[in-house]
Structure formats: C-alpha cells, structure tokens
Amino acid sequence: MKPRTITLCALVLLMTSAPLFAQKTEVSVRRGKVVAETQTASVNINAGQKAVLKKDANPLVTVDSPLVQDALELHKLIEKEKEQSDLRVDSSFILVGSADKDEVRGALYFEFPNHGPTATNVLTLGYVSIIENFRVYDLAGNLCKVDVEYLDDTTASYSIHLSKEVQPGGHFKVIGVANLEDIPLIPGGAPAYWKEGPLWYFRTGLTMPYCLNYYRFILPKTTILLDTNREAMATDTVDGRVAVTMKDYTGRYSDGRCMISFLYPERDGTTLADIPDKYLGLRSLWDKRNTETFKREMDRIRAGASYTDQSTPLAALLTCLSSIIHKDIDLYSTVKYAEQPPQNIRGYVEQARYWAGVLDLLSTPEWPDNPGNGYVHPTYLCRKGSMICEFIQPMVYENGKWYVHDTKSRQPKQSSDTTPQDVAAARTQGYLCDWEVAGPYVQKGKKGTELFDIPFGPELPDVNVPWQPILVERHGEHPAYVNLDEALYGFDQAVAYLRTEIASDRQKPARLDIYTDDGVKAWLNGKLIHAVNVSRGILDEPDKVDVTLNEGANDLMLKVTDDVWAWGAIVRVQPAIAVQPVSGK
C-alpha cells in the first residue's frame, strides 16, 4: 500500500484559524501506514501509533493507547531489573488497568514461549475467554493482526500475527488490550474488578513461579484509595485520577496476587463516612482479642516455642503454623483435616512456611462451643500491613477438636442487582425470600451424595448451630435464589442447611416447588416431607411436594448437598392443585 501523506506546511498553519491548531493536532492510524509532514520534519506512523503534531516542533510518535504506552514504560523497568538483579526470572507480566464509569480497560503484557520446532510469527492462544474489541500490540507499539475462531459461547482461539518471527525456545512478547469488567482473565476465573458493600476492588496476579510482575491501576475520578495488599512503589495522577503502581516477584511459590480497595463516590454516592469500621480502628473486642493473641503467639512460635492446642479454631490454626515453622511433620499430620499422601506432606509444609511468614489473621466469627461434627468455621487471613482479606482458612470441628482444612483463595462476591422492591415482588409470586443458613458441614473422605444421610448439627439435639441470614438473588427466571456456593466460600463435597418460615392464614393444602443444586432433604414443622439424593443443577422443572400448612408460622428446613461447582436452592409456595373427580365415579 502506498503511504498516504499528510502535509502540514507553514502556509496551512498560518492560514488556519488559531483555535484549531493553536495547541496541537493528533493523527492516529488504525490500518496501513501514514507519513506525517510538518514544517520541521516528517515521520512514519504505523497502525496502532499516534503522531502529535505541534507548530514549530518535530512530530512526536507514540502508541495510540495510553495504557499500552504505560505498559511499554514498565517493560523498560522490567528489563532493567532483570539485567541488574541476580534473581531467577523465568517470565514477566504487566497489567495497566484503567477504570471509569463506562468501562474497565486493561493493557496486559505477556510472554509466551515458542514450543514449536520452527520459527514463526504467529502466536496462537488456543483456549481463552471471548474478548470483545481485542487489540494486540508488539513492543514497538505496532498494532498486530488478530484472527479469531469462536469455540463456544464463552471461549475462543486467537491467532496473533507479529512482524518478526520468534525462534524455537524464544518468547512471543505482546501487549493485549481488553475490557476487564465483563470477563475473567481466564475462562471460568474470577473477575479482575468488582464491588462488595461500599468498597470496590481491583485484583490481578499470575500464579507462575519466578515471574516478575508490575501492576498499575488508574482509578476513576473522585476515587478514595483505601488499601493495597502490597506496598506501592509509586503513586501519581493521570488527568486528575489516582494511579497506583506496584510490583512483585512470585518466586518459588507463585505469590503473584496484587489487590487494591477504594471508594467510588461518583458511581455509587459513597463518601469518607462509608469507610468500613475496621479501617478506622473500630474493630470488635472479639476480633481485637483474637488478632492480638495470634500475633503474640506467632512471635513466641517464631522465637522457638512450640504450640499444641486444638481446643478452638484459633488454637488449631496456631498449632498448624507451629508445625509448619518448626517443620514438625507429625504435628502437621495430626492437625490437618484432609488426609494427604505421606510423600507430599514435606512439599506442602515447605510451601506453607513461606505463607506463614507473609499472612496475618484478619478476623473470624465467634465460634460455637459444640457445633457438632463436620462443622466448618472460617478464619480470614490478610497480608501483613494490609486489611484486604486474601484467603479463607476453614477449620473443621470433630469430636471436641478443631482441624485445619485446605486453604481457600478468597473469591469476589458477584454484585447482585436485586433490590428490596424485587424481593417484595418475588414474595407476591410465592417465592420464599427470608432464609438463614448453617454450614458448611463436611466429613473426611465423603462426597456430597455420601453426606446425604449423615446427620449434622441442625438435625441433632443439644448442638449449638450458628445460623446466619442469607440474601436471595435472581437466577434465570427466578427472582429468589439462595447462592450457597458464594456464601459458603466455594466448598465442594459438603452440605448446608437452610431454614425459613411459611406464614398461612389458615390450615390449608399447598404445594412446594423446590429447585436445588444438588440433592435435598426437606422438613416441614419437623417432619421429613421430601428427599432426593442426586447430583444436578437448577432444573427447569422443580421437585413438587404436596403439603398441609398449619395456621400461623410453619417451619421449613432444607438440607442441600453439593458435589462441585454451583450450589443453591429456590423454593416457591403454590396453591394446591385440586383433584378433579373422575366422571362416573
């Protein structure tokens, strides 16, 4: 293609009205090439680049995306650090994210090895989330051609054409620009940007070992930056917006997560008064006492003291950390709930020693004295120097002792757009909306279907059952779904209990439409009325259970099992269907 020439000679500059060219003119190129000429010089502008033309100055050529330009600057820092550091660095990652009211965009720098036997200039990403308006740049700031093949409704294969070939064993180095608000970074993964309560969160991080990562978050206008999970290396502004830059080195144990939290007044009307109490020092006496105990005992453990106590969740956590820090394999095996192959335990302990030096206890709910076997109690962990919860450490009660279950990465709660008006409308349609939840409950080595007939706390007498309110949300055509998977920190192979009341103006027959993911047992006024042990999702047709409601309040309790993935329930009260008499009878 013959380059198109833009000529901005002195005559044009002098004869054009001052407001138009008084400051500068910008020329961006999306396809092909352009030559920009001014009175002082001419420059080539390739696809993906932008030329800034000023009177009496040489043209300045930059990338047409400020995010990509920032990523290229951070790449220079990475290359400098790799040259001057003796750390092992196998790969690098950069994210420059920008959030505003319209969208959340991110420029992501990736390095992909060429595992093929021959040199090629085509990088194929074979299974990634579908990315709308996906643009890819090389390290010269040139826009690359991208071919896409859609594999299903959520995933696609992308072929990226670079200007230079990459030799076998070499690395493709590209910067992709995508919307981060609507898609996870990987299929089925968690979003990078979300809201919980008054706080907004921005999070990213790869779980690759020996990776050098730089992250830059450009926040919306009026943002009140509240917390970071790592120390910020730089804080500046971009067009009046706060920008936070952090870095981390994942090392041997793949610790690559970076998070920030902030208030967003322009979007949701929050103010300084909405800062959560924990950031103001207004923590409950319960949490204050537990965190102080944790830090005091951890200081003793690090100084050489041993800790062996499983009488409370906090004590069991400290016992586990003591076994890890002192490499006491026997003690670790004793306090760990899930069985592990002996050959793997030393590896687990070695990796856990790293995390024992990184994390602190953030908080934990008050635990019951006698919750019954299999009850799971959460302890919430944060990184030292931060109050952002990053991990949930479940503790399991069994026969008077507490045990440490597998640690879970804290997943963002999906914001629900369900309003009080929506809930009120759902009630008029017969949906039950006022639920309390207890659980989860587990048993070592048992699947969800095997837990179906094992009674746990809510089914047993003289057990302290901690019930908590749980909100409903929309699920497809149903306006009142109880999302157990989200409320109970993503447990699999577990059970939970739900309870509510059904009010009736008189004694009358009715029908309960029960939808569950997965199996369910149902009790009405203490009597078992329904049971189905199955692995399933929310189906189009419910389990239909005919019941008789008493006048006044009727107690309904569900036991819902979980296999994997989603976990929840929907219940709707319908009028009883009258049975028509058979003709001639």
Side-chain angles (χ1 to χ4, degrees), residues 124-140:
T124 300
L125 305 179
Y127 182 76
V128 298
S129 301
I130 293 176
I131 307 171
E132 300 295 337
N133 301 317
F134 186 38
R135 302 177 68 192
V136 180
Y137 297 78
D138 63 20
L139 294 191

Side-chain angles (χ1 to χ4, degrees), residues 38 91 104 109 136 149 194 253 270 284 313 323 329 364 486 553 574:
T38 67
S91 60
V104 182
Y109 166 80
V136 180
E149 177 186 357
W194 75 96
Y253 300 115
T270 51
S284 69
S323 72
I329 303 300
T364 181
E486 186 172 274
Q574 302 273 36

Side-chain angles (χ1 to χ4, degrees), residues 290-340:
N290 285 326
T291 55
E292 288 176 350
T293 298
F294 179 86
K295 291 180 179 179
R296 181 179 65 250
E297 296 302 326
M298 284 298 293
D299 287 342
R300 292 181 61 250
I301 291 169
R302 292 189 180 101
S306 296
Y307 197 99
T308 55
D309 183 2
Q310 293 177 244
S311 61
T312 69
L314 180 58
L317 177 59
L318 288 166
T319 299
C320 181
L321 292 172
S322 176
S323 72
I324 289 167
I325 290 172
H326 300 315
K327 297 184 180 181
D328 189 335
I329 303 300
D330 292 337
L331 181 59
Y332 180 81
S333 301
T334 299
V335 75
K336 189 72 174 177
Y337 187 73
E339 295 181 353
Q340 295 174 339

